[in-house]
């Protein structure tokens, strides 16, 4: 949602928590429990605990940077502030991909839940054999994407005011669903039958964290970071809002997971040959239908529209902010940052995001589960810069006003980075390879933009101009090499990792995870050192916290700018 600095000034703690909860309860709760149970069995409950610890660590590192630089869509800018333009574009590109991908996935969720309707045409939206959207299902998802996008295109302010009401409704529906499912009959034997509590091993639990919507579900913490810097007392409000939103989210998601596991009819579980065979198009609605809870089915069908629609208010606005930030740093055309004089929305950026959403729907977005894995991997990459930015700015800007300071940052930051590196590995091959390639596409684009900027500044016919541009380009790429090497390294280990993680089993079992965990701190300290050098060489410029707080969307700083 779009809020001016004045509207965000004095944001209450309750409002901040509601914003976080509203973002956390999107389509994740509709599919996360069913998807995690299929991958990890009853041990899926552990995946939610691991996921919230991981996201909590990431969120706290971003809380420090976000409270110092309260820039809308700031996660796309922090890499630029810590390491300069090249890394800023790489991380900003990853953040944009992850955020813009949330727009179509919410429509896919609503479409899949339509299959629980009694209408004949609704039954044909998803192929029962492949559990993917059919041609008609893809068409419906496209219509819903356009409808949600148009709603924010014209009426974002109206919907922003209704955010609290939407959040309360989104919160009430899963709570009522849990009570109804548990009350209809709870089978404790489901937690030990068909292979025990962890029938597919603990590696499957780690995979569930990143591929089954766990990371996807808790990604709503970004809304708290983006808006928390303008709260009444950011130093107190941001950490409390993050803890409150994530803790409440964990309680509800655990309740949903446990109720799903205990409510699946034992005969269905036996007929399916275990949890991997239980593959429902609309997990909670289909389960409620099997249990003859028709009022719950109707409520969930309603919730399948309310939850995605409410979350997409923030998704459309956040994705537009990401494009605007990349345009302001010069790596996207400047015209994309234009704001409509009447509605106050970045309409060119929204058009770009709509086009990207359509492409995703027509290519990889054939089901919520398929797209959630790719989006979660992209999210993990976008998280990497948080703890690193804390480490760099602690050394280069020790006097920077920080309303919130991460305690024990010297220990927590490298540990958090290592956790994120492992989470990327757990995303499984070939997803790790796909998202690595998709992220590194930004590197040659950055080189072309920077060369064009240098050519415009120095003149293509200037004596020695070519050599000067080559030296300048290498100097600006230096702070980003750690990221390029890290992504290639992680993808290579993933390809050679255990078969549980989709690899070739050259590094069987936990060896791949151990190798990533051991080498991750080396990349962290390399990254921090690179950031410190970038500051010493004047590659990062600086954004005044006072300017960011006063005019976060258009703050003028001394960062090197590229023109397109």
């Amino acid at each position: 949602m779009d809020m001016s600095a004045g509207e965000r000034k004095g944001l209450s703690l309750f409002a901040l928590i509601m914003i976080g909860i509203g973002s956390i309860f999107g389509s994740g709760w509709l599919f996360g429990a069913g998807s995690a149970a299929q991958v990890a069995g009853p041990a899926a409950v552990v995946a939610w605990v691991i996921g919230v610890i991981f996201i909590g660590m990431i969120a706290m590192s971003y809380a420090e940077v976000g409270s110092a630089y309260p820039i809308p869509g700031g996660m796309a800018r922090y890499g630029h502030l810590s390491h300069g333009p090249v890394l800023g574009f790489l991380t900003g590109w990853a953040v944009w991909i992850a955020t813009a991908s949330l727009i179509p996935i919410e429509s896919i969720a609503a479409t899949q839940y339509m299959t629980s309707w009694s209408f004949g045409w609704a039954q044909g939206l998803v192929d029962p054999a492949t559990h993917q959207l059919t041609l008609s299902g893809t068409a419906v998802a496209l219509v819903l994407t356009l409808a949600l996008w148009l709603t924010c295109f014209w009426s974002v302010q109206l919907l922003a005011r209704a955010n609290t009401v939407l959040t309360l409704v989104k919160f009430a529906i899963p709570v009522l669903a849990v009570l109804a499912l548990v009350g209809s009959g709870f089978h404790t034997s489901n937690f030990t039958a068909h292979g025990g509590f962890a029938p597919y091993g603990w590696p499957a639990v780690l995979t569930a964290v990143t591929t089954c919507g766990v990371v996807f579900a808790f990604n709503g913490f970004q809304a708290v970071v983006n808006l928390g810097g303008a709260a009444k007392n950011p130093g107190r409000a941001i950490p409390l809002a993050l803890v409150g939103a994530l803790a409440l989210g964990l309680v509800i998601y655990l309740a949903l997971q446990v109720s799903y596991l205990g409510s699946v009819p034992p005969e269905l579980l036996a007929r399916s040959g275990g949890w991997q065979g239980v593959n429902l198009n609309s997990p909670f609605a289909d389960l409620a239908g099997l249990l003859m809870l028709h009022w719950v089915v109707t409520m969930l069908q309603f919730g399948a529209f309310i939850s995605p629609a409410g979350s997409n208010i923030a998704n459309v606005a956040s994705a537009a902010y990401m494009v605007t930030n990349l345009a302001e740093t010069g790596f996207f055309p400047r015209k994309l940052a234009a704001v409509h004089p009447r509605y106050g929305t970045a309409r060119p950026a929204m058009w770009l995001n709509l086009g990207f959403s359509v492409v995703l729907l027509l290519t990889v977005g054939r089901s919520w589960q398929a797209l959630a894995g790719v989006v979660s991997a992209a999210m993990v990459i976008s998280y990497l810069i948080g703890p690193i930015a804390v480490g760099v700015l602690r050394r280069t800007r020790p006097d920077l006003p920080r309303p919130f300071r991460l305690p024990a940052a010297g220990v927590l930051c490298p540990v958090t980075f290592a956790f994120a590196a492992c989470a990327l590995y757990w995303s499984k091959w070939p997803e790790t390879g796909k998202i690595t390639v998709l992220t590194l596409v930004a590197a040659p684009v950055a080189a072309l933009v920077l060369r064009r900027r240098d050519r415009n500044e120095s003149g293509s016919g200037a004596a020695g101009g070519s050599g000067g541009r080559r030296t300048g380009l290498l100097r600006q790429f230096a702070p980003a090499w750690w990221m390029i090497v890290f992504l290639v390294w992680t993808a290579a280990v993933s390809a050679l990792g255990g078969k549980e993680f989709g690899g070739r089993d050259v590094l069987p079992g936990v060896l791949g995870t151990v190798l990533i965990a051991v080498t991750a701190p080396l990349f962290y300290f390399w990254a921090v050192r690179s950031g410190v050098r970038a500051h010493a060489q004047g590659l990062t410029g600086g954004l005044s916290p006072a300017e960011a707080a006063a005019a976060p969307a258009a703050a003028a700083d001394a960062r090197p700018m590229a023109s397109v």
Side-chain angles (χ1 to χ4, degrees), residues 433-450:
K434 292 177 182 177
I435 202 62
T436 294
V437 171
L438 194 58
T439 302
L440 293 183
V441 164
V445 175
L448 291 173
V449 171
L450 290 172

Side-chain angles (χ1 to χ4, degrees), residues 494-500 502-509:
S494 178
L496 299 174
K499 58 184 179 181
E500 309 94 324
R504 298 182 179 180
D505 215 29
V506 176
L507 300 169

Side-chain angles (χ1 to χ4, degrees), residues 54-55 58 62 215 219 221 379-387:
F54 165 54
I55 293 298
I58 293 293
Y62 271 110
V215 168
N219 186 60
F221 83 88
M379 287 176 178
V380 172
I381 291 179
S382 72
Y383 296 156
L384 294 173
I385 196 61

Side-chain angles (χ1 to χ4, degrees), residues 134-146:
T134 60
L135 184 60
S136 61
T138 301
V140 169
L142 282 171
V143 171
L144 290 177
T145 297
L146 181 60

